[in-house]
Amino acid sequence: MIEFKYAPSEQVDEAAYQTKIDEARTYVARAQQDDFGGWVDLPVNYDKEEFARIKAAAKKINEDSDYLVCIGIGGSYLGHRAVIETLGGERGRTKIVYAGNSLSPRMLEKAIAEVGDKDFSINVISKSGTTTEPAVAFRVFKQILIDKYGEEEAAKRIYATTDANKGALHDEAVAKGYETFVVPDNIGGRYSVLTAVGLLAIAVAGVNIDALMDGAEEERAVLISDGGAAAEYAAMRNVLLAKGYDIEILANFEPQFVMFNEWWKQLFGESEGKEGKGIYPASVVDSTDLHSMGQYIQEGRRALFETFVEVQGEYRGVTVPSFGENLDGLQYLEGKELDYINKTANVATREAHKAGGVPVLEILVPEIDERALGGLIYFFEMACALSGFCLGVNPFNQPGVEAYKNRMFELLGKPGYEKK
Ligand code: PA5
């Protein structure tokens, strides 16, 4: 179970907080009933037949591929990369290479070079099937796959995760006979990591997707009636925003969370940043970033608050060795677990930043494992929806994403986008 804590301070208006919690709790039903609220009940009603096909496809890919090239961007990319990297990376034979999440030729060449002449398969993930970044990368890797294996075998190595009924990728998959998985209509990209969008790559990486879904189901059971701790976190964010704290930094002391932070930033940024409103989501991984961003957080403009993701479990194995001398001045740490030192740095950072006028929130996670991560993902999805409703925006749309695309298509000469 995920817990939420905060350090009481003069910046937190307790009465406003209690009122906002009551409001946030009323929005659980609204999220569940929304046309894009499919993620609310997903952990208990996901498609078991498709889930079994995902496992079978992952097994085949593990048997016949050294690499899985995962092609997608935004909500069709960040979730699975976040889960895989937070859990420590690929565990078996098949390594994941990511492509189609930018238009950089350097990055694409790097991905091609990494796959080299090894055996590989492709999971192309795109709800619309027309997003330029993944569409271009798919063309490039599809050509390489066909050159290597021929059309027939290449088609057996392409897994398309897309709309169930329509779109360019769907139509191509049907025409060419690719195995397909579904991006559900009622779940937006940034809420879709626990659908086929994320699960195929996660399973290929050797992660136990049953445990991941179990964790989400357990967290749903805790939150479904009144939002539980997710409603408290959502309410606190809005109370702080009303006081002028319009930047939130997600902080943790585990570098394996770097991509999880990116997933979280998309979730909150795309859900809340609209109509001139929203909290700007930022992130740090400490203690690394204390040596780059720590100065600003401690003493810069007082408009930010920090949310620390705290892993409760202990990690044993690395201790500070004993020497007969104390030339480096570290004798006082001899025999101490590095995890203890890391956690102490975490406590010290929270205390120092709070003393510097930064409101400090905490999200407590039992462990870094599949179950806990499934729970954490569900917790943040629920908190994000409730927080967006408290803010007075629709947390499930992203109309602003189209602006750059329309101008880019105009500049690139895409038919139908000629300058008016
Ligand atoms: O969250 C979202 O909706 C977006 O990030 C999309 O997932 C992203 O733009 C990719 O779109 P598509 O899956 O249609 O290629």
Side-chain angles (χ1 to χ4, degrees):
M1 185 174 115
I2 308 300
E3 293 174 55
F4 171 68
K5 272 172 57 180
Y6 70 100
S9 63
E10 67 274 14
Q11 299 101 330
V12 176
D13 180 335
E14 288 292 337
Y17 177 45
Q18 292 307 324
T19 306
K20 202 48 105 176
I21 292 174
D22 292 342
E23 182 189 338
R25 296 206 187 291
T26 67
Y27 294 135
V28 177
R30 183 166 161 190
Q32 195 173 26
Q33 285 153 20
D34 194 281
D35 286 348
F36 286 94
W39 55 272
V40 175
D41 293 331
L42 181 74
V44 289
N45 70 7
Y46 62 89
D47 181 342
K48 306 293 186 303
E49 182 274 332
E50 184 182 61
F51 196 76
R53 277 199 304 117
I54 288 169
K55 286 185 183 173
K59 185 164 178 287
K60 176 178 178 296
I61 293 166
N62 285 153
E63 283 164 3
D64 70 14
S65 301
D66 300 305
Y67 286 95
L68 175 67
V69 180
C70 276
I71 299 176
I73 194 165
S76 294
Y77 151 68
L78 285 166
H80 43 280
R81 186 161 182 182
V83 170
I84 292 165
E85 297 195 3
T86 303
L87 293 174
E90 301 91 324
R91 296 167 182 178
R93 166 194 174 186
T94 312
K95 303 291 172 226
I96 311 282
V97 166
Y98 300 94
N101 54 69
S102 80
L103 288 166
S104 161
R106 295 170 187 82
M107 291 307 290
L108 198 56
E109 274 185 356
K110 205 169 161 214
I112 293 165
E114 185 169 354
V115 172
D117 61 358
K118 297 282 178 23
D119 284 311
F120 76 100
S121 298
I122 295 172
N123 181 201
V124 54
I125 308 158
S126 179
K127 170 78 173 163
S128 61
T130 54
T131 307
T132 312
E133 291 88 341
V136 168
F138 182 42
R139 266 208 180 205
V140 171
F141 270 103
K142 186 168 50 184
Q143 185 64 62
I144 297 170
L145 201 66
I146 291 170
D147 289 348
K148 186 175 172 71
Y149 297 104
E151 288 252 8
E152 198 179 325
E153 174 62 14
K156 292 182 187 150
R157 287 173 172 268
I158 296 174
Y159 302 84
T161 307
T162 189
D163 191 279
N165 304 302
K166 60 181 187 310
L169 181 56
H170 166 268
D171 295 350
E172 177 179 333
V174 171
K176 299 288 185 182
Y178 308 151
E179 175 150 24
T180 58
F181 299 100
V182 172
V183 185
D185 278 338
N186 61 354
I187 302 180
R190 57 192 176 276
Y191 292 83
S192 71
V193 52
L194 299 178
T195 72
V197 169
L199 291 178
L200 179 58
I202 292 170
V204 168
V207 171
N208 181 342
I209 58 173
D210 288 292
L212 190 72
M213 295 305 286
D214 287 349
E217 182 179 350
E218 283 165 16
E219 192 59 27
R220 179 190 172 277
V222 173
L223 302 183
I224 196 63
S225 60
D226 68 356
E232 294 168 19
Y233 170 51
M236 179 60 79
R237 298 178 80 252
N238 278 272
V239 165
L240 290 170
L241 178 62
K243 286 260 189 177
Y245 295 90
D246 60 3
I247 299 166
E248 179 178 17
I249 301 179
L250 193 74
N252 51 62
F253 277 70
E254 180 48 70
Q256 287 181 191
F257 271 82
V258 165
M259 287 308 299
F260 188 87
N261 291 350
E262 296 304 310
W263 170 81
W264 175 89
K265 283 193 269 192
Q266 187 203 358
L267 180 65
F268 281 83
E270 211 168 71
S271 297
E272 293 191 322
K274 53 196 70 159
E275 300 170 32
K277 300 180 187 174
I279 295 169
Y280 186 83
S283 66
V284 291
V285 173
D286 295 332
S287 62
T288 311
D289 292 340
L290 291 172
H291 298 261
S292 55
M293 296 308 295
Q295 170 63 38
Y296 191 103
I297 297 170
Q298 189 70 44
E299 296 183 351
R301 197 166 61 86
R302 301 296 73 183
L304 54 87
F305 64 99
E306 267 187 303
T307 300
F308 287 81
V309 173
E310 313 274 358
V311 179
Q312 301 295 283
E314 287 181 12
Y315 187 95
R316 297 194 160 273
V318 183
T319 54
V320 178
S322 298
F323 280 80
E325 54 196 19
N326 191 28
L327 292 176
D328 58 5
L330 281 186
Q331 212 159 42
Y332 76 106
L333 291 177
E334 280 180 6
K336 295 269 192 309
E337 288 282 344
L338 192 53
D339 190 57
Y340 160 77
I341 300 171
N342 196 31
K343 284 191 166 71
T344 305
N346 186 333
V347 173
T349 304
R350 292 201 310 271
E351 289 180 2
H353 289 181
K354 181 170 182 277
V358 178
V360 167
L361 317 183
E362 289 174 76
I363 309 278
L364 309 185
V365 190
E367 204 32 277
I368 303 182
D369 60 19
E370 284 92 332
R371 198 172 282 270
L373 205 52
L376 186 63
I377 287 167
Y378 192 87
F379 174 90
F380 276 131
E381 288 177 349
M382 180 62 83
C384 183
L386 303 186
S387 182
F389 284 135
C390 285
L391 187 64
V393 298
N394 177 351
F396 304 131
N397 67 5
Q398 57 283 329
V401 180
E402 294 309 308
Y404 99 89
K405 290 187 195 170
N406 292 336
R407 182 71 180 129
M408 176 178 73
F409 292 152
E410 189 186 312
L411 293 173
L412 288 172
K414 183 172 178 171
Y417 288 83
E418 296 80 7
K419 200 168 174 57
K420 301 278 179 310

